[in-house]
Amino acid sequence: MKSYRMGWIAFSILLLLAGCQHQPAEIGLTAVSAGYQKQQAENQKNPEFAEQNTEVITDLVNEVVELRFQRAGEALASHLSEACRERFIAANQVVTGTDYGLARVGKLESCTILTINDNTVLAQINASYGDTPSAYTLVLTLIREDQTWLVDQMRWMENDQSPRSPVESAEQLAKAYQKAVLSQDYARLASLYNITAEPEGLLFWSTVRITDCEIMAQKIQTGQACFQLQFTVADPGMSQLKKGTSTAWLWCRRQPQQDGESISGWIIEGLMTKQPPTSWWQS
């Protein structure tokens, strides 16, 4: 009898664990993958350059930021990798019609480096345009060429983000999400989730590169919606997405205003591993 009871307890535990493993989990906005965390832990044991080159990296970041706010585009380009310089020129051509012309000169007040981790730098920038103060978060990805550190990617986010108008339909929300993940627009993603954009989120999305995002199926009700999305991922970075093609479910909800009567718009509840259970639709 005792062995039977012990066997039944073990079987019950297995069922419980199996049930937990199959519960939907959030994988989308800033949920760092276990594989990435493990790799970072290994990197901390054998740092590539952070400990030995902190001063060199700090000087490079300060120089790059200063040149950006001085609108010294050609000098700034000399600190960029070839691929980054090509993107830099292409962006300038769209805005100013020149290779190195930068719009909007500003005054740099301070550049504070928050973290240096492997080849990535996270910094806080305080600046002003005339009498208007501005605050930015900056993520720089660095590479080393011919014993020189160069910037391979720059991503900026203005910390004082203006409120965005509500998304009026679930379809608009899904399309806005598609556009944001393809352009790595973390600030827009945060607004779609109705949360405050944080520096760590910008760092997270600077590592992820999604080349395609398609809606495969959808279910929309009065106040809730779910979209089955197929992602083509070139680099999962910190994310729990997998390289190549994979599927996830975007859970969305219509958000009531504070008075509890009218409707303010649609927000994302999460990018999940599974579609919503019946209980979610009834909540």
Side-chain angles (χ1 to χ4, degrees):
M1 177 65 72
K2 184 176 180 181
S3 61
Y4 172 80
R5 187 184 302 116
M6 294 300 294
W8 175 250
I9 291 173
F11 179 68
S12 300
I13 293 173
L14 286 173
L15 284 178
L16 178 62
L17 291 174
C20 293
Q21 290 173 353
H22 287 84
Q23 292 300 311
E26 218 287 328
I27 61 174
L29 191 62
T30 56
V32 180
S33 70
Y36 190 90
Q37 293 182 59
K38 181 179 179 181
Q39 184 61 55
Q40 290 300 97
E42 290 298 318
N43 292 345
Q44 291 304 312
K45 296 176 184 177
N46 300 289
E48 182 178 348
F49 69 84
E51 291 183 2
Q52 299 96 335
N53 295 274
T54 300
E55 291 184 7
V56 173
I57 299 303
T58 300
D59 289 344
L60 171 62
V61 173
N62 280 299
E63 177 74 5
V64 165
V65 172
E66 186 71 46
L67 292 172
R68 177 62 186 84
F69 281 95
Q70 290 176 353
R71 216 162 57 177
E74 193 164 1
L76 173 58
S78 68
H79 294 295
L80 309 180
S81 68
E82 182 177 352
C84 187
R85 190 180 305 119
E86 290 176 358
R87 296 193 299 269
F88 178 73
I89 290 172
N92 289 337
Q93 284 289 345
V94 172
V95 177
T96 67
T98 66
D99 284 357
Y100 300 111
L102 293 169
R104 205 178 180 208
V105 64
K107 180 183 178 183
L108 176 65
E109 306 291 347
S110 65
C111 173
T112 304
I113 294 179
L114 303 178
T115 60
I116 301 176
N117 191 2
D118 296 331
N119 66 333
T120 305
V121 180
L122 180 65
Q124 172 70 48
I125 312 299
N126 291 315
S128 59
Y129 294 97
D131 296 328
T132 305
S134 296
Y136 298 89
T137 299
L138 170 67
V139 172
L140 293 178
T141 303
L142 309 178
I143 61 173
R144 189 159 190 165
E145 294 182 355
D146 299 327
Q147 304 302 310
T148 301
W149 288 106
L150 299 173
V151 176
D152 195 47
Q153 179 175 259
M154 291 187 291
R155 298 196 67 81
W156 296 76
M157 180 179 73
E158 189 167 3
N159 293 358
D160 302 322
Q161 295 135 29
S162 301
R164 298 176 185 260
S165 57
V167 179
E168 297 180 355
S169 72
E171 293 91 340
Q172 289 178 2
L173 182 66
K175 289 178 181 178
Y177 179 84
Q178 286 177 291
K179 183 177 180 180
V181 297
L182 291 173
S183 60
Q184 297 173 290
D185 188 349
Y186 164 66
R188 178 56 171 155
L189 285 169
S191 73
L192 297 176
Y193 277 78
N194 197 30
I195 66 170
T196 301
E198 301 288 349
E200 290 75 14
L202 181 66
L203 174 61
F204 177 96
W205 277 96
S206 72
T207 69
V208 182
R209 190 159 70 89
I210 299 171
T211 58
D212 194 26
C213 175
E214 295 185 24
I215 297 175
M216 307 303 292
Q218 64 184 44
K219 180 180 179 181
I220 301 174
Q221 294 186 353
T222 302
Q224 291 157 282
C226 178
F227 297 86
Q228 184 185 27
L229 302 179
Q230 179 175 281
F231 294 94
T232 303
V233 180
D235 188 347
M238 292 184 177
S239 78
Q240 297 185 35
L241 296 170
K242 300 188 182 300
K243 188 173 182 178
T245 301
S246 60
T247 300
W249 284 260
L250 192 68
W251 297 16
C252 309
R253 189 179 293 274
R254 203 171 187 182
Q255 189 82 344
Q257 290 182 346
Q258 291 183 352
D259 58 20
E261 296 178 0
S262 55
I263 298 297
S264 64
W266 286 82
I267 63 169
I268 295 170
E269 190 168 291
L271 181 70
M272 313 297 281
T273 54
K274 293 183 177 296
Q275 58 186 310
T278 302
S279 58
W280 182 82
W281 292 104
Q282 295 171 347
S283 62

